[in-house]
Amino acid sequence: MSDNTYDVLIVGAGAAGCAAAMNLPEGTRVLLVDRGQPAQDRCCGGLLAPDAQRAIARLGLALPDGVRVHPEPKAVHVHDLDSRRDQVYRRNYVNLDRARFDAWLLGLAAARAEFRPHTRFVGLHVQDEAVTVRLASEGVEEEVRARLLVGAGGAGSAVRRAAFPNVPAPETMLAIQVRLASDDPPPVHEVLFASRLTDFYAWAIPKPGAVLVGSAFGRPRGARERFQQILAWYRDTFGLAGDVLEESARRLTRPHARRDLFGGSKRVLLAGEAAGLVSPSSGEGLSFAITSGAAAGRAAAGPSPQAAYEEPFRRLARRVARKFLKARIVFTPAWRRWALRLPWCP
């Protein structure tokens, strides 16, 4: 086997890609690449929802010291500026230091795979028995051959676009988030709906000595100006006068219909956001990333990875599809006004 030939090539070293690498059978020759340097702070609130907690437990993993941080919100407080209603829902979140969480997953994956950061996917050629992938690092291109390619590069997946140009890709949103210094952050997850500012929602999540304020926007034009209005609302409402310590932005997948969910084919499997697997109502994607990545890794062991991946992917797609109606309710102001009368989230 040449130096540039692998059993499995994984593009994207986020949660989905790491879970895939960790679940490959022993002895698999695997290359894991990422266009950046993962395990750095992401544009993510870093709350581990119950589904994601269960996904980690099913892999037999426990969060190490330093990954779990306090305070941990035990409720979601929803503010709806359209209806002027609010509601509180109980939620048992685990609060993460997301950079440490990503570093932990990457460490586990790198123990099973050759890892190359700052390596960009350029293109591919799929053949009957293998796939040839062009990668670029520091301006130098090379070709890598693998029996199976796992696309786990997140929203707007380049692997999905290149391998399946005739398969519609899901819509993406622009997410913007800042970390504000705060000695007294709000103790719960503060959610804001305001249709004049965002067609999604905004969030404020406590962290040690800080609070994360973010929002996502399906209409990116003018998003930064609208985000500043959202930030001003949080500052005024909760007395958040601290400095902005950092700012981040990224694209997020937003599926709207079953056709947005696609798991791939014989030589190319898609996992996590690349496959459209994100909750359309909350944007929660960690549970889907971990579960689909692990399923893709396990599927690589057999003679037909696509067939082995089909059933676990269908189960995940059904979970996403069940949330489409909820998303319509949540993001339609008149329906949301009705839903907020209920003491539980519909």
Side-chain angles (χ1 to χ4, degrees), residues 215-291:
S215 185
F217 304 87
R219 304 184 304 274
R221 185 175 180 179
R224 293 191 178 276
E225 291 78 9
R226 283 179 276 132
F227 177 72
Q228 289 304 316
Q229 296 179 59
I230 289 170
L231 180 57
W233 182 87
Y234 274 107
R235 284 189 180 277
D236 292 344
T237 302
F238 299 103
L240 303 174
D243 294 336
V244 174
L245 302 177
E246 60 187 40
E247 180 174 346
S248 56
R250 63 165 291 212
R251 305 299 300 185
L252 297 176
T253 297
R254 189 180 194 182
H256 287 287
R258 179 61 179 83
R259 65 178 177 274
D260 292 333
L261 314 178
F262 181 68
S265 64
K266 181 179 179 181
R267 294 293 167 203
V268 182
L269 301 183
L270 301 174
E273 285 192 69
L277 295 173
V278 177
S279 167
S281 56
S282 68
E284 192 277 323
L286 267 176
S287 66
F288 295 103
I290 293 167
T291 305

Side-chain angles (χ1 to χ4, degrees), residues 37-49:
Q37 174 62 60
Q40 296 176 345
D41 229 11
R42 295 176 180 266
C43 184
C44 170
L47 289 181
L48 207 59

Side-chain angles (χ1 to χ4, degrees), residues 10-22 32-35 37-39 42 98 101-103 105-106 109 115 152-154 250 271-273 286 289-290 293:
I10 302 171
V11 175
C18 288
M22 291 156 52
L32 173 64
V33 303
D34 196 280
R35 63 190 174 191
Q37 174 62 60
R42 295 176 180 266
R98 186 56 196 268
F101 176 77
D102 287 344
L105 285 182
L106 183 58
F115 171 57
R250 63 165 291 212
E273 285 192 69
L286 267 176
I290 293 167

